[in-house]
Amino acid sequence: MHCHCLSDSDQAGIYSVVSTVSWDEWDRAVSLEGDERAISLGIHPTFVATLPANWHERLSIRLAQSAAMIGECGLHPHKSRDIRLLQEEVLGWQFSLAHTYNRAMVLHVTGMWDRFFSLLDHYGVPPGGLLMHDFAGSVEVLARLQGYGKILFSYGPSLMKKGFYKKRSLSCNSNGACLF
């Protein structure tokens, strides 16, 4: 699991990953990194419009100072074409940094699978792998992602919503991975 709570309270024996969504959280997250708390530093797609011009240099410096993963980052539908293109540019930078620093990425992708696969084909899975956070894609998207290797999936609260199971039936692909 991961959380977005930038708290320094320790829960003995509980390992957590604190994911940032905006550049202004990075310093605080780096200060929280420890034996039982990993961090991920990134730009969530809904925050791309608020980035300072030198955000990628700042992120590179923070990655050099820590063992942080990259994220939560990704693509999220937006009515503005300019914002969607900026999301792709920012995600591309984060893919490049993941390769440069050999880090895993925590990804938030909502609906924009064609654009995401285009970026994934271009950059490839970073050596540290990918975690698809709160995955709610189709079984076809799941099967395609598994073909890239080194990708983990987490499922979010949508699984608990009333009527979710009526919209989706249990489907399994040839690798034995199932999507409800």
Side-chain angles (χ1 to χ4, degrees), residues 116-178:
F116 177 75
F117 281 119
S118 177
L119 288 165
L120 186 57
D121 288 339
H122 178 77
Y123 291 99
V125 174
L130 301 175
L131 170 62
M132 303 306 297
H133 163 65
D134 195 11
F135 181 76
S138 68
V139 73
E140 292 80 18
V141 167
L142 174 68
R144 185 169 175 190
L145 285 167
Q146 288 181 313
Y148 289 88
K150 215 166 186 180
I151 299 178
L152 300 174
F153 298 85
S154 75
Y155 299 91
S158 60
L159 292 175
M160 305 305 286
K161 290 181 182 172
K162 185 176 181 180
F164 184 85
Y165 294 104
K166 290 180 183 177
K167 295 178 192 171
R168 300 175 188 258
S169 59
L170 177 63
S171 301
C172 298
N173 66 20
S174 60
N175 295 329
C178 298

Side-chain angles (χ1 to χ4, degrees), residues 14-81:
I14 298 175
Y15 187 81
S16 62
V17 177
V18 176
S19 288
T20 62
V21 295
S22 178
W23 66 273
D24 57 352
E25 298 176 332
W26 296 341
D27 290 338
R28 177 75 174 129
V30 168
S31 75
L32 296 173
E33 188 174 28
D35 292 339
E36 292 187 354
R37 187 179 300 112
I39 61 171
S40 65
L41 307 175
I43 300 297
H44 192 280
T46 59
F47 289 90
V48 298
T50 64
L51 287 173
N54 64 344
W55 72 270
H56 40 77
E57 288 130 9
R58 288 181 179 187
L59 181 53
S60 187
I61 290 167
R62 296 303 179 277
L63 292 171
Q65 297 170 338
S66 73
M69 295 175 280
I70 297 175
E72 181 174 341
C73 54
L75 300 173
H76 191 89
H78 195 279
K79 62 184 175 186
S80 165
R81 181 179 184 276

Side-chain angles (χ1 to χ4, degrees), residues 94-105:
Q94 291 174 109
F95 264 112
S96 293
L97 289 170
H99 283 281
T100 298
Y101 289 97
N102 192 26
R103 304 296 169 86
M105 295 176 74

Side-chain angles (χ1 to χ4, degrees), residues 85-99:
L85 290 173
L86 183 57
Q87 286 180 14
E88 290 180 31
E89 179 183 335
V90 169
L91 181 56
W93 272 102
Q94 291 174 109
F95 264 112
S96 293
L97 289 170
H99 283 281

